[in-house]
Amino acid sequence: MASVRGFALGLLAVTASVVLFVLTVVSISLIPLGIGVFTTPALIGLVRSYSSYRRLLAARWTGMELPASYRPFPHDLRKGVTGQVERCTVLLKDPATRRDLLWLLVDMTAGAVVALLAAGLILEGLFGLLLGAWLWKPITAVEDPYWFTFVPVGGWGTALIAALVGCGYLAAGLKFGPALLRVHFLLVGTVLSPDRQQQLEQRIDRLTETRHDALDSSAAELRRIERDLHDGAQARLVAMGMHLGTIEALVEKDPAQAKELIAMARESSAEALTELRDLVRGIHPPVLAERGLGDAVKALALRLPVASEVDVELPGRMEAPVESAAYFAVSEALTNVVKHAGAGRIWVDISYAEGSLRIAVTDDGRGGAVVGGGSGLSGVERRLGTFDGVLAVSSPAGGPTMVTMEIPCALS
């Protein structure tokens, strides 16, 4: 199998890598003439798709992860010719583009040699066996003796020696084929993967972005709390104060009306208390602080209008900020299901493995959920991003929908 894969990699390297490298270099050289501005972004996009496919092969065939680090396009990228120039400039300034081109160069040369060597050992071994069987006769009729490696094949005796050498090639191919395949991916991975400085730059960019998101989220949350207090509890407390003032004036003149106002004041105080409790629950639920994420999500599920099952496997508790982020991420995901999915059932699975908190929210609704475009899932993604968490959504049309969240953290 390693020889077949090596042959496929070698074939890709001497065809696709060569073609893409030549076309991309020619396109870049045509940028001063204006033509390259339109062709270069498309070709670089093809190179990125091709390198992503090779990364996928590396993961599937050898288990090696080759990280990608492409810079995203700016949000304010313009349209038309101006936008095309901006897009081309962003791509050319991205260090990942230079790495991709260097990788193509390495892949079509040293990478191809290593990959084809895995297949070459097997093919050479099979050829040696065929020489020992019968093939030596027609070959030596043209070229006598025929040199197979270090063996001058000219008769049955030397042909059998060639067959033994072929067996050695076969054994070497079977034994070292997987290692050669791994060496190939190590070689291209050294060029394709970002170095430590680039990884640090990406880390800084990521932290800067998530910090801005966290500040925006905190400001929005503060405005929501102020609005809820002003329109809810504060208004009811003011009304209650007015009722008490009126009661004070009527308690002797009209005791019956005073009793009615007392009942209204009592009702207003109860409603204000309920709204304050809901507000506190929205800031940091007491059950989350006292009993942890699992019980808090179970309590949350009990209040949902959709039948829900919560499965929790947590051997400990995480830090309070992580716990809070996870809780509100689950809360937002469940709210989206109730509002938009039309689901009849929800399943929530919470577990911890390999240094990460993993949460899956699944529903049997209509599907079609997407991240982006200002959806609630974008808010969940930003909330998780503050803690280096990631969000994945699988939601084909017709359902079901599975929202998977993962946050790296430690348990106490």
Side-chain angles (χ1 to χ4, degrees):
M1 184 57 73
S3 60
V4 176
R5 291 171 174 174
F7 181 76
L9 287 174
L11 199 61
L12 282 174
V14 298
T15 54
S17 295
V18 172
V19 171
L20 284 174
F21 179 79
V22 172
L23 289 179
T24 306
V25 170
V26 171
S27 176
I28 293 174
S29 66
L30 292 177
I31 287 178
L33 300 178
I35 301 173
V37 172
F38 298 95
T39 56
T40 300
L43 283 167
I44 291 178
L46 281 176
V47 172
R48 292 185 173 187
S49 299
Y50 177 54
S51 65
S52 298
Y53 176 66
R54 296 292 293 272
R55 287 186 177 93
L56 181 64
L57 291 182
R60 285 181 177 175
W61 291 353
T62 64
M64 294 175 60
E65 298 289 340
L66 304 180
S69 59
Y70 300 118
R71 289 178 179 173
F73 286 110
H75 298 297
D76 55 350
L77 208 62
R78 287 172 284 187
K79 297 181 179 178
V81 177
T82 306
Q84 191 70 15
V85 173
E86 291 177 347
R87 188 174 289 103
C88 186
T89 305
V90 170
L91 287 170
L92 291 177
K93 286 184 177 179
D94 190 345
T97 300
R98 293 192 292 274
R99 281 200 305 273
D100 279 353
L101 292 178
L102 181 60
W103 162 69
L104 288 176
L105 196 60
V106 172
D107 187 52
M108 71 176 75
T109 53
V113 170
V114 174
L116 290 175
L117 187 58
L121 289 172
I122 298 296
L123 293 176
E124 191 71 1
L126 292 175
F127 182 66
L129 291 178
L130 291 176
L131 277 178
W134 60 272
L135 196 60
W136 67 273
K137 287 185 178 178
I139 290 179
T140 54
V142 179
E143 181 181 351
D144 189 19
Y146 173 78
W147 286 88
F148 178 72
T149 314
F150 55 85
V151 180
V153 181
W156 277 109
T158 50
L160 291 176
I161 296 175
L164 289 176
V165 174
C167 289
Y169 279 126
L170 278 176
L174 293 174
K175 182 174 179 58
F176 300 112
L180 288 170
L181 207 62
R182 191 169 182 81
V183 169
H184 167 83
F185 284 118
L186 280 173
L187 185 64
V188 297
T190 302
V191 183
L192 203 55
S193 302
D195 57 26
R196 181 169 176 75
Q197 181 179 352
Q198 290 162 345
Q199 289 178 358
L200 287 174
E201 289 176 357
Q202 291 174 359
R203 174 73 175 157
I204 291 171
D205 292 342
R206 175 71 173 164
L207 288 175
T208 303
E209 182 181 350
T210 55
R211 187 189 65 176
H212 289 160
D213 287 342
L215 290 174
D216 291 343
S217 299
S218 298
E221 188 69 8
L222 183 59
R223 287 195 296 272
R224 183 189 68 81
I225 293 170
E226 289 174 347
R227 186 178 61 250
D228 290 350
L229 282 173
H230 182 269
D231 298 341
Q234 182 180 343
R236 296 191 185 286
L237 289 173
V238 170
M240 190 170 63
M242 293 173 64
H243 288 156
L244 290 174
T246 307
I247 290 167
E248 188 177 12
L250 293 176
V251 67
E252 294 182 354
K253 297 179 183 177
D254 191 348
Q257 188 175 359
K259 286 183 179 178
E260 291 179 5
L261 291 175
I262 290 173
M264 293 175 65
R266 187 186 302 113
E267 185 178 346
S268 293
S269 67
E271 290 176 351
L273 183 61
T274 301
E275 290 178 357
L276 285 173
R277 284 174 174 167
D278 291 342
L279 189 61
V280 170
R281 191 180 297 117
I283 298 171
H284 194 81
V287 65
L288 177 62
E290 295 169 2
R291 301 175 61 179
L293 178 64
D295 287 341
V297 172
K298 288 178 180 176
L300 180 65
L302 288 175
R303 298 197 298 272
L304 293 177
V306 179
S308 308
E309 294 179 19
V310 180
D311 186 15
V312 181
E313 293 182 9
L314 291 177
R317 293 188 61 173
M318 57 228 66
E319 293 181 350
V322 178
E323 208 170 50
S324 178
Y327 172 80
F328 285 107
V330 174
S331 174
E332 202 159 342
L334 291 174
T335 301
N336 286 339
V337 174
V338 172
K339 284 184 177 178
H340 308 296
R345 202 162 191 84
I346 303 174
W347 296 268
V348 182
D349 295 298
I350 304 175
S351 61
Y352 183 85
E354 299 175 354
S356 292
L357 172 68
R358 294 174 180 172
I359 304 171
V361 179
T362 310
D363 67 76
D364 60 354
R366 62 176 68 94
V370 294
V371 181
S375 69
L377 291 174
S378 299
V380 175
E381 189 175 41
R382 287 195 298 272
R383 188 185 293 276
L384 298 179
T386 309
F387 299 90
D388 282 344
V390 293
L391 171 78
V393 178
S394 172
S395 183
T401 295
M402 174 179 279
V403 176
T404 308
M405 296 167 268
E406 188 169 318
I407 307 175
C409 61
L411 297 185
S412 59

